[in-house]
Amino acid sequence: GVTYGNGTFVAVGEGGTVLTSQDGMNWTKRGTGVWLNGVTYGNGIFVAVGPLGIILTSPNGVSWTPWTSGTGNSLLGVTYGNGIFVAVGLSGTILTSP
């Protein structure tokens, strides 16, 4: 997954890969150690999701904080709109948070 916010592109993927870029051409490899499927930006924060209900947040795409999602289902995507984050996953999982 890839998103843009606060002047930074953030891309996430397998093996805990996190990449950040200011211009979309030059990327810096970061990492979380956690496989991530999707990422979005909203309300001043990046939110990434992954297997087993993993949710991570970051103010800058570099340092990440884990949160409890309340589900063990893998989360496949996340978006932000109208003041609400929405994460979706396996078995019809839909999570929302302001």
Side-chain angles (χ1 to χ4, degrees), residues 27-96:
W27 294 84
T28 301
K29 187 174 183 179
R30 316 283 182 182
T32 64
V34 177
W35 187 295
L36 297 168
N37 296 321
V39 64
T40 194
Y41 180 85
N43 200 25
I45 196 160
F46 292 96
V47 176
V49 297
L52 303 174
I54 289 170
I55 296 179
L56 302 177
T57 61
S58 173
N60 55 17
V62 177
S63 59
W64 293 86
T65 302
W67 294 89
T68 302
S69 68
T71 184
N73 293 333
S74 290
L75 299 173
L76 305 175
V78 61
T79 193
Y80 179 84
N82 203 27
I84 301 287
F85 288 95
V86 179
V88 296
L90 296 181
S91 301
T93 300
I94 301 173
L95 304 175
T96 62

Short mmCIF file of all heavy atoms in Angstrom, two decimals, residues 27-96:
data_model
loop_
_atom_site.label_atom_id
_atom_site.label_comp_id
_atom_site.label_asym_id
_atom_site.label_seq_id
_atom_site.Cartn_x
_atom_site.Cartn_y
_atom_site.Cartn_z
N TRP A 27 13.64 7.20 -2.27
CA TRP A 27 13.00 6.53 -1.15
C TRP A 27 14.02 6.10 -0.10
O TRP A 27 15.13 5.69 -0.43
CB TRP A 27 12.24 5.30 -1.65
CG TRP A 27 11.08 5.67 -2.52
CD1 TRP A 27 11.12 5.95 -3.86
CD2 TRP A 27 9.73 5.83 -2.13
NE1 TRP A 27 9.87 6.27 -4.31
CE2 TRP A 27 8.99 6.20 -3.27
CE3 TRP A 27 9.06 5.69 -0.91
CZ2 TRP A 27 7.62 6.44 -3.23
CZ3 TRP A 27 7.70 5.92 -0.87
CH2 TRP A 27 6.99 6.29 -2.02
N THR A 28 13.60 6.18 1.16
CA THR A 28 14.42 5.71 2.28
C THR A 28 13.75 4.49 2.88
O THR A 28 12.56 4.53 3.21
CB THR A 28 14.55 6.81 3.36
OG1 THR A 28 15.15 7.95 2.76
CG2 THR A 28 15.40 6.32 4.51
N LYS A 29 14.52 3.41 3.02
CA LYS A 29 13.97 2.18 3.59
C LYS A 29 13.91 2.30 5.10
O LYS A 29 14.89 2.65 5.76
CB LYS A 29 14.83 0.98 3.19
CG LYS A 29 14.22 -0.33 3.61
CD LYS A 29 15.00 -1.50 3.06
CE LYS A 29 14.33 -2.80 3.45
NZ LYS A 29 15.04 -3.96 2.92
N ARG A 30 12.74 2.05 5.62
CA ARG A 30 12.50 1.99 7.06
C ARG A 30 12.06 0.56 7.35
O ARG A 30 12.15 -0.29 6.49
CB ARG A 30 11.39 2.96 7.47
CG ARG A 30 11.46 4.32 6.86
CD ARG A 30 12.50 5.17 7.49
NE ARG A 30 12.50 6.51 6.90
CZ ARG A 30 13.32 7.44 7.23
NH1 ARG A 30 14.22 7.24 8.16
NH2 ARG A 30 13.28 8.61 6.64
N GLY A 31 11.53 0.30 8.49
CA GLY A 31 11.00 -1.03 8.75
C GLY A 31 10.25 -1.07 10.06
O GLY A 31 10.48 -0.26 10.95
N THR A 32 9.32 -2.01 10.14
CA THR A 32 8.57 -2.20 11.37
C THR A 32 8.74 -3.60 11.91
O THR A 32 8.40 -3.85 13.06
CB THR A 32 7.06 -1.97 11.13
OG1 THR A 32 6.59 -2.96 10.22
CG2 THR A 32 6.79 -0.57 10.62
N GLY A 33 9.21 -4.52 11.07
CA GLY A 33 9.28 -5.92 11.47
C GLY A 33 7.93 -6.60 11.41
O GLY A 33 7.79 -7.75 11.77
N VAL A 34 6.91 -5.85 10.96
CA VAL A 34 5.54 -6.36 10.89
C VAL A 34 5.06 -6.25 9.44
O VAL A 34 5.14 -5.17 8.84
CB VAL A 34 4.60 -5.53 11.80
CG1 VAL A 34 3.17 -5.99 11.67
CG2 VAL A 34 5.06 -5.59 13.24
N TRP A 35 4.60 -7.36 8.88
CA TRP A 35 4.04 -7.38 7.53
C TRP A 35 2.86 -6.42 7.49
O TRP A 35 1.97 -6.48 8.36
CB TRP A 35 3.57 -8.79 7.20
CG TRP A 35 3.12 -9.00 5.79
CD1 TRP A 35 2.05 -8.43 5.19
CD2 TRP A 35 3.72 -9.84 4.83
NE1 TRP A 35 1.93 -8.87 3.91
CE2 TRP A 35 2.95 -9.75 3.65
CE3 TRP A 35 4.82 -10.68 4.85
CZ2 TRP A 35 3.26 -10.45 2.50
CZ3 TRP A 35 5.11 -11.38 3.70
CH2 TRP A 35 4.35 -11.26 2.55
N LEU A 36 2.80 -5.54 6.51
CA LEU A 36 1.71 -4.57 6.41
C LEU A 36 1.05 -4.64 5.05
O LEU A 36 1.72 -4.80 4.03
CB LEU A 36 2.23 -3.15 6.68
CG LEU A 36 2.81 -2.94 8.07
CD1 LEU A 36 3.55 -1.62 8.16
CD2 LEU A 36 1.70 -3.01 9.12
N ASN A 37 -0.27 -4.53 5.04
CA ASN A 37 -1.04 -4.66 3.79
C ASN A 37 -1.52 -3.33 3.23
O ASN A 37 -1.72 -3.21 2.03
CB ASN A 37 -2.26 -5.56 4.03
CG ASN A 37 -1.86 -6.97 4.38
OD1 ASN A 37 -0.91 -7.50 3.85
ND2 ASN A 37 -2.58 -7.55 5.32
N GLY A 38 -1.76 -2.36 4.07
CA GLY A 38 -2.30 -1.10 3.60
C GLY A 38 -1.92 0.04 4.51
O GLY A 38 -1.61 -0.16 5.68
N VAL A 39 -1.98 1.26 3.96
CA VAL A 39 -1.64 2.45 4.73
C VAL A 39 -2.46 3.63 4.21
O VAL A 39 -2.81 3.67 3.03
CB VAL A 39 -0.12 2.75 4.65
CG1 VAL A 39 0.31 3.07 3.22
CG2 VAL A 39 0.29 3.85 5.60
N THR A 40 -2.77 4.55 5.09
CA THR A 40 -3.48 5.77 4.71
C THR A 40 -3.00 6.91 5.59
O THR A 40 -2.28 6.69 6.56
CB THR A 40 -5.01 5.59 4.82
OG1 THR A 40 -5.66 6.67 4.14
CG2 THR A 40 -5.46 5.55 6.27
N TYR A 41 -3.42 8.12 5.23
CA TYR A 41 -3.09 9.30 6.03
C TYR A 41 -4.37 10.11 6.24
O TYR A 41 -5.15 10.30 5.32
CB TYR A 41 -2.05 10.17 5.32
CG TYR A 41 -1.68 11.40 6.12
CD1 TYR A 41 -0.70 11.33 7.09
CD2 TYR A 41 -2.32 12.61 5.91
CE1 TYR A 41 -0.36 12.45 7.85
CE2 TYR A 41 -1.99 13.73 6.65
CZ TYR A 41 -1.00 13.64 7.61
OH TYR A 41 -0.67 14.74 8.35
N GLY A 42 -4.56 10.56 7.47
CA GLY A 42 -5.70 11.42 7.77
C GLY A 42 -5.59 11.96 9.17
O GLY A 42 -4.93 11.37 10.03
N ASN A 43 -6.20 13.08 9.40
CA ASN A 43 -6.25 13.68 10.73
C ASN A 43 -4.85 13.82 11.36
O ASN A 43 -4.67 13.65 12.56
CB ASN A 43 -7.17 12.86 11.64
CG ASN A 43 -7.65 13.64 12.84
OD1 ASN A 43 -7.71 14.86 12.82
ND2 ASN A 43 -8.00 12.93 13.90
N GLY A 44 -3.83 14.06 10.51
CA GLY A 44 -2.48 14.28 11.00
C GLY A 44 -1.69 13.05 11.35
O GLY A 44 -0.64 13.15 12.01
N ILE A 45 -2.15 11.86 10.90
CA ILE A 45 -1.46 10.62 11.29
C ILE A 45 -1.54 9.58 10.17
O ILE A 45 -2.52 9.51 9.43
CB ILE A 45 -2.05 10.06 12.60
CG1 ILE A 45 -1.13 9.05 13.23
CG2 ILE A 45 -3.44 9.52 12.41
CD1 ILE A 45 -1.39 8.82 14.69
N PHE A 46 -0.46 8.79 10.04
CA PHE A 46 -0.47 7.64 9.15
C PHE A 46 -1.00 6.44 9.93
O PHE A 46 -0.66 6.26 11.10
CB PHE A 46 0.95 7.32 8.66
CG PHE A 46 1.53 8.35 7.74
CD1 PHE A 46 2.35 9.35 8.23
CD2 PHE A 46 1.24 8.33 6.39
CE1 PHE A 46 2.89 10.31 7.39
CE2 PHE A 46 1.77 9.29 5.53
CZ PHE A 46 2.59 10.29 6.04
N VAL A 47 -1.82 5.62 9.27
CA VAL A 47 -2.33 4.39 9.87
C VAL A 47 -2.05 3.26 8.90
O VAL A 47 -2.39 3.35 7.71
CB VAL A 47 -3.84 4.48 10.17
CG1 VAL A 47 -4.37 3.14 10.70
CG2 VAL A 47 -4.14 5.59 11.16
N ALA A 48 -1.43 2.18 9.40
CA ALA A 48 -1.13 1.00 8.58
C ALA A 48 -1.79 -0.22 9.22
O ALA A 48 -1.95 -0.29 10.44
CB ALA A 48 0.37 0.79 8.48
N VAL A 49 -2.18 -1.18 8.38
CA VAL A 49 -2.85 -2.40 8.86
C VAL A 49 -2.17 -3.63 8.29
O VAL A 49 -1.52 -3.57 7.24
CB VAL A 49 -4.35 -2.40 8.50
CG1 VAL A 49 -5.07 -1.25 9.17
CG2 VAL A 49 -4.56 -2.37 7.00
N GLY A 50 -2.36 -4.77 8.99
CA GLY A 50 -1.74 -6.01 8.55
C GLY A 50 -2.43 -7.24 9.09
O GLY A 50 -3.58 -7.18 9.57
N PRO A 51 -1.74 -8.38 9.05
CA PRO A 51 -2.32 -9.65 9.48
C PRO A 51 -2.64 -9.65 10.98
O PRO A 51 -2.08 -8.87 11.74
CB PRO A 51 -1.26 -10.68 9.14
CG PRO A 51 -0.01 -9.94 8.86
CD PRO A 51 -0.37 -8.52 8.59
N LEU A 52 -3.55 -10.54 11.34
CA LEU A 52 -3.92 -10.75 12.74
C LEU A 52 -4.41 -9.48 13.43
O LEU A 52 -4.20 -9.29 14.63
CB LEU A 52 -2.75 -11.38 13.52
CG LEU A 52 -2.21 -12.70 12.96
CD1 LEU A 52 -0.97 -13.15 13.70
CD2 LEU A 52 -3.30 -13.77 12.98
N GLY A 53 -5.03 -8.60 12.66
CA GLY A 53 -5.63 -7.39 13.23
C GLY A 53 -4.64 -6.31 13.58
O GLY A 53 -4.97 -5.37 14.33
N ILE A 54 -3.43 -6.38 13.05
CA ILE A 54 -2.41 -5.40 13.38
C ILE A 54 -2.79 -4.01 12.87
O ILE A 54 -3.17 -3.84 11.72
CB ILE A 54 -1.04 -5.81 12.78
CG1 ILE A 54 -0.51 -7.02 13.54
CG2 ILE A 54 -0.05 -4.66 12.79
CD1 ILE A 54 0.69 -7.65 12.90
N ILE A 55 -2.68 -3.01 13.76
CA ILE A 55 -2.83 -1.61 13.39
C ILE A 55 -1.65 -0.85 13.99
O ILE A 55 -1.35 -0.98 15.17
CB ILE A 55 -4.14 -1.01 13.91
CG1 ILE A 55 -5.33 -1.71 13.26
CG2 ILE A 55 -4.19 0.49 13.64
CD1 ILE A 55 -6.69 -1.19 13.72
N LEU A 56 -0.96 -0.08 13.14
CA LEU A 56 0.14 0.76 13.58
C LEU A 56 -0.16 2.20 13.20
O LEU A 56 -0.76 2.45 12.15
CB LEU A 56 1.45 0.35 12.90
CG LEU A 56 1.93 -1.08 13.08
CD1 LEU A 56 3.20 -1.31 12.27
CD2 LEU A 56 2.19 -1.38 14.54
N THR A 57 0.26 3.16 14.03
CA THR A 57 0.10 4.57 13.69
C THR A 57 1.45 5.26 13.76
O THR A 57 2.35 4.84 14.49
CB THR A 57 -0.88 5.28 14.63
OG1 THR A 57 -0.38 5.22 15.97
CG2 THR A 57 -2.27 4.67 14.56
N SER A 58 1.58 6.35 12.97
CA SER A 58 2.83 7.10 12.93
C SER A 58 2.55 8.55 12.59
O SER A 58 1.77 8.84 11.68
CB SER A 58 3.77 6.51 11.88
OG SER A 58 4.91 7.32 11.73
N PRO A 59 3.21 9.47 13.28
CA PRO A 59 3.05 10.88 12.93
C PRO A 59 3.87 11.28 11.71
O PRO A 59 3.60 12.29 11.07
CB PRO A 59 3.55 11.61 14.19
CG PRO A 59 4.55 10.67 14.78
CD PRO A 59 4.03 9.28 14.48
N ASN A 60 4.90 10.44 11.36
CA ASN A 60 5.84 10.84 10.33
C ASN A 60 6.23 9.74 9.33
O ASN A 60 7.03 9.98 8.44
CB ASN A 60 7.11 11.36 10.99
CG ASN A 60 7.71 10.37 11.96
OD1 ASN A 60 7.39 9.18 11.94
ND2 ASN A 60 8.57 10.85 12.84
N GLY A 61 5.71 8.52 9.50
CA GLY A 61 6.07 7.41 8.63
C GLY A 61 7.36 6.73 9.01
O GLY A 61 7.77 5.76 8.38
N VAL A 62 8.02 7.21 10.06
CA VAL A 62 9.30 6.65 10.49
C VAL A 62 9.14 5.84 11.77
O VAL A 62 9.54 4.68 11.84
CB VAL A 62 10.34 7.78 10.70
CG1 VAL A 62 11.65 7.21 11.22
CG2 VAL A 62 10.55 8.55 9.40
N SER A 63 8.58 6.44 12.80
CA SER A 63 8.35 5.72 14.07
C SER A 63 6.89 5.31 14.15
O SER A 63 6.00 6.11 13.86
CB SER A 63 8.73 6.61 15.26
OG SER A 63 7.97 7.80 15.24
N TRP A 64 6.67 4.04 14.53
CA TRP A 64 5.33 3.45 14.50
C TRP A 64 4.94 2.94 15.88
O TRP A 64 5.75 2.36 16.59
CB TRP A 64 5.28 2.31 13.49
CG TRP A 64 5.44 2.81 12.08
CD1 TRP A 64 6.62 3.03 11.42
CD2 TRP A 64 4.40 3.18 11.19
NE1 TRP A 64 6.37 3.50 10.17
CE2 TRP A 64 5.02 3.61 9.99
CE3 TRP A 64 3.01 3.19 11.26
CZ2 TRP A 64 4.30 4.04 8.89
CZ3 TRP A 64 2.29 3.62 10.16
CH2 TRP A 64 2.93 4.04 8.99
N THR A 65 3.66 3.11 16.22
CA THR A 65 3.11 2.65 17.50
C THR A 65 2.03 1.61 17.23
O THR A 65 1.10 1.88 16.46
CB THR A 65 2.50 3.83 18.28
OG1 THR A 65 3.50 4.81 18.49
CG2 THR A 65 1.93 3.36 19.61
N PRO A 66 2.11 0.42 17.84
CA PRO A 66 1.07 -0.60 17.66
C PRO A 66 -0.17 -0.30 18.51
O PRO A 66 -0.06 0.25 19.61
CB PRO A 66 1.74 -1.89 18.12
CG PRO A 66 2.79 -1.45 19.09
CD PRO A 66 3.22 -0.07 18.66
N TRP A 67 -1.33 -0.68 18.01
CA TRP A 67 -2.60 -0.52 18.71
C TRP A 67 -3.37 -1.82 18.66
O TRP A 67 -3.23 -2.59 17.71
CB TRP A 67 -3.44 0.59 18.07
CG TRP A 67 -2.82 1.93 18.22
CD1 TRP A 67 -1.92 2.52 17.37
CD2 TRP A 67 -2.99 2.83 19.29
NE1 TRP A 67 -1.54 3.74 17.85
CE2 TRP A 67 -2.18 3.96 19.04
CE3 TRP A 67 -3.76 2.82 20.46
CZ2 TRP A 67 -2.12 5.05 19.89
CZ3 TRP A 67 -3.69 3.91 21.30
CH2 TRP A 67 -2.88 5.00 21.02
N THR A 68 -4.19 -2.05 19.65
CA THR A 68 -5.06 -3.23 19.68
C THR A 68 -6.30 -2.95 18.86
O THR A 68 -7.00 -1.96 19.09
CB THR A 68 -5.46 -3.57 21.13
OG1 THR A 68 -4.27 -3.78 21.88
CG2 THR A 68 -6.33 -4.81 21.18
N SER A 69 -6.58 -3.82 17.91
CA SER A 69 -7.74 -3.62 17.03
C SER A 69 -8.99 -4.30 17.53
O SER A 69 -10.09 -3.97 17.11
CB SER A 69 -7.43 -4.13 15.62
OG SER A 69 -7.32 -5.55 15.64
N GLY A 70 -8.82 -5.31 18.39
CA GLY A 70 -9.98 -6.05 18.87
C GLY A 70 -10.38 -7.21 17.96
O GLY A 70 -11.39 -7.86 18.20
N THR A 71 -9.59 -7.46 16.92
CA THR A 71 -9.87 -8.59 16.04
C THR A 71 -8.58 -9.34 15.77
O THR A 71 -7.50 -8.75 15.79
CB THR A 71 -10.51 -8.16 14.70
OG1 THR A 71 -10.82 -9.33 13.94
CG2 THR A 71 -9.58 -7.27 13.89
N GLY A 72 -8.71 -10.63 15.52
CA GLY A 72 -7.57 -11.44 15.11
C GLY A 72 -7.56 -11.66 13.61
O GLY A 72 -6.67 -12.31 13.07
N ASN A 73 -8.58 -11.11 12.92
CA ASN A 73 -8.66 -11.26 11.46
C ASN A 73 -7.64 -10.34 10.78
O ASN A 73 -7.42 -9.22 11.22
CB ASN A 73 -10.06 -10.90 10.96
CG ASN A 73 -11.10 -11.89 11.41
OD1 ASN A 73 -10.78 -13.06 11.66
ND2 ASN A 73 -12.33 -11.45 11.54
N SER A 74 -7.06 -10.83 9.71
CA SER A 74 -6.12 -10.02 8.95
C SER A 74 -6.83 -8.81 8.35
O SER A 74 -7.94 -8.93 7.82
CB SER A 74 -5.49 -10.84 7.83
OG SER A 74 -4.61 -11.80 8.39
N LEU A 75 -6.19 -7.66 8.47
CA LEU A 75 -6.72 -6.43 7.89
C LEU A 75 -5.99 -6.18 6.58
O LEU A 75 -4.77 -6.24 6.50
CB LEU A 75 -6.53 -5.26 8.86
CG LEU A 75 -7.25 -5.44 10.20
CD1 LEU A 75 -6.88 -4.33 11.17
CD2 LEU A 75 -8.76 -5.51 10.00
N LEU A 76 -6.76 -5.92 5.53
CA LEU A 76 -6.21 -5.84 4.18
C LEU A 76 -6.07 -4.43 3.65
O LEU A 76 -5.26 -4.18 2.76
CB LEU A 76 -7.07 -6.67 3.23
CG LEU A 76 -7.26 -8.13 3.63
CD1 LEU A 76 -8.21 -8.82 2.69
CD2 LEU A 76 -5.92 -8.84 3.70
N GLY A 77 -6.88 -3.51 4.15
CA GLY A 77 -6.83 -2.15 3.65
C GLY A 77 -7.37 -1.18 4.66
O GLY A 77 -8.10 -1.54 5.58
N VAL A 78 -7.00 0.11 4.49
CA VAL A 78 -7.45 1.15 5.38
C VAL A 78 -7.55 2.45 4.59
O VAL A 78 -6.77 2.68 3.66
CB VAL A 78 -6.50 1.30 6.60
CG1 VAL A 78 -5.09 1.68 6.17
CG2 VAL A 78 -7.05 2.27 7.62
N THR A 79 -8.52 3.28 4.93
CA THR A 79 -8.68 4.58 4.29
C THR A 79 -9.20 5.58 5.30
O THR A 79 -9.58 5.20 6.41
CB THR A 79 -9.62 4.48 3.06
OG1 THR A 79 -9.52 5.68 2.30
CG2 THR A 79 -11.06 4.25 3.48
N TYR A 80 -9.21 6.85 4.91
CA TYR A 80 -9.69 7.92 5.79
C TYR A 80 -10.58 8.85 4.98
O TYR A 80 -10.26 9.21 3.85
CB TYR A 80 -8.51 8.71 6.36
CG TYR A 80 -8.93 9.84 7.27
CD1 TYR A 80 -9.22 9.60 8.60
CD2 TYR A 80 -9.07 11.13 6.78
CE1 TYR A 80 -9.61 10.63 9.44
CE2 TYR A 80 -9.45 12.16 7.62
CZ TYR A 80 -9.73 11.91 8.94
OH TYR A 80 -10.12 12.94 9.77
N GLY A 81 -11.70 9.20 5.55
CA GLY A 81 -12.59 10.15 4.91
C GLY A 81 -13.66 10.63 5.86
O GLY A 81 -14.09 9.89 6.75
N ASN A 82 -14.04 11.88 5.71
CA ASN A 82 -15.14 12.45 6.50
C ASN A 82 -14.91 12.28 8.00
O ASN A 82 -15.85 12.02 8.76
CB ASN A 82 -16.47 11.87 6.06
CG ASN A 82 -17.63 12.77 6.40
OD1 ASN A 82 -17.48 13.98 6.50
ND2 ASN A 82 -18.80 12.18 6.59
N GLY A 83 -13.64 12.35 8.43
CA GLY A 83 -13.32 12.28 9.84
C GLY A 83 -13.26 10.90 10.44
O GLY A 83 -13.16 10.74 11.66
N ILE A 84 -13.28 9.84 9.59
CA ILE A 84 -13.30 8.46 10.09
C ILE A 84 -12.27 7.61 9.34
O ILE A 84 -12.19 7.65 8.12
CB ILE A 84 -14.69 7.81 9.90
CG1 ILE A 84 -15.77 8.59 10.61
CG2 ILE A 84 -14.70 6.35 10.33
CD1 ILE A 84 -15.76 8.45 12.12
N PHE A 85 -11.47 6.84 10.11
CA PHE A 85 -10.63 5.81 9.51
C PHE A 85 -11.49 4.55 9.39
O PHE A 85 -12.23 4.20 10.31
CB PHE A 85 -9.43 5.48 10.41
CG PHE A 85 -8.39 6.55 10.44
CD1 PHE A 85 -8.40 7.51 11.44
CD2 PHE A 85 -7.40 6.60 9.47
CE1 PHE A 85 -7.44 8.51 11.48
CE2 PHE A 85 -6.44 7.60 9.49
CZ PHE A 85 -6.46 8.56 10.50
N VAL A 86 -11.37 3.85 8.27
CA VAL A 86 -12.08 2.58 8.06
C VAL A 86 -11.07 1.55 7.60
O VAL A 86 -10.36 1.75 6.61
CB VAL A 86 -13.20 2.71 7.01
CG1 VAL A 86 -13.89 1.36 6.79
CG2 VAL A 86 -14.20 3.77 7.40
N ALA A 87 -10.97 0.45 8.36
CA ALA A 87 -10.11 -0.67 8.00
C ALA A 87 -10.99 -1.86 7.65
O ALA A 87 -12.01 -2.10 8.31
CB ALA A 87 -9.18 -1.03 9.16
N VAL A 88 -10.61 -2.60 6.62
CA VAL A 88 -11.37 -3.78 6.20
C VAL A 88 -10.45 -4.98 6.16
O VAL A 88 -9.24 -4.85 5.94
CB VAL A 88 -12.05 -3.57 4.84
CG1 VAL A 88 -13.07 -2.45 4.92
CG2 VAL A 88 -11.02 -3.29 3.76
N GLY A 89 -11.05 -6.17 6.37
CA GLY A 89 -10.23 -7.38 6.39
C GLY A 89 -11.00 -8.63 6.08
O GLY A 89 -12.14 -8.59 5.61
N LEU A 90 -10.38 -9.76 6.39
CA LEU A 90 -10.96 -11.07 6.12
C LEU A 90 -12.23 -11.29 6.93
O LEU A 90 -12.44 -10.67 7.98
CB LEU A 90 -9.93 -12.16 6.43
CG LEU A 90 -8.67 -12.15 5.57
CD1 LEU A 90 -7.75 -13.30 5.97
CD2 LEU A 90 -9.01 -12.24 4.09
N SER A 91 -13.04 -12.19 6.44
CA SER A 91 -14.30 -12.59 7.09
C SER A 91 -15.25 -11.42 7.29
O SER A 91 -16.00 -11.36 8.25
CB SER A 91 -14.03 -13.28 8.44
OG SER A 91 -13.24 -14.43 8.26
N GLY A 92 -15.20 -10.45 6.39
CA GLY A 92 -16.10 -9.31 6.45
C GLY A 92 -15.78 -8.30 7.53
O GLY A 92 -16.63 -7.47 7.89
N THR A 93 -14.59 -8.33 8.06
CA THR A 93 -14.19 -7.41 9.14
C THR A 93 -14.21 -5.97 8.64
O THR A 93 -13.61 -5.65 7.61
CB THR A 93 -12.79 -7.75 9.65
OG1 THR A 93 -12.79 -9.08 10.14
CG2 THR A 93 -12.37 -6.79 10.77
N ILE A 94 -14.88 -5.11 9.38
CA ILE A 94 -14.88 -3.67 9.14
C ILE A 94 -14.69 -2.98 10.49
O ILE A 94 -15.48 -3.19 11.41
CB ILE A 94 -16.19 -3.19 8.49
CG1 ILE A 94 -16.42 -3.90 7.16
CG2 ILE A 94 -16.17 -1.67 8.31
CD1 ILE A 94 -17.79 -3.60 6.52
N LEU A 95 -13.64 -2.17 10.59
CA LEU A 95 -13.37 -1.43 11.82
C LEU A 95 -13.38 0.06 11.50
O LEU A 95 -12.90 0.48 10.45
CB LEU A 95 -11.99 -1.81 12.37
CG LEU A 95 -11.73 -3.28 12.65
CD1 LEU A 95 -10.27 -3.47 13.06
CD2 LEU A 95 -12.66 -3.80 13.73
N THR A 96 -13.91 0.87 12.43
CA THR A 96 -13.92 2.31 12.24
C THR A 96 -13.36 3.00 13.47
O THR A 96 -13.45 2.48 14.58
CB THR A 96 -15.33 2.85 11.97
OG1 THR A 96 -16.15 2.57 13.12
CG2 THR A 96 -15.95 2.22 10.74
#
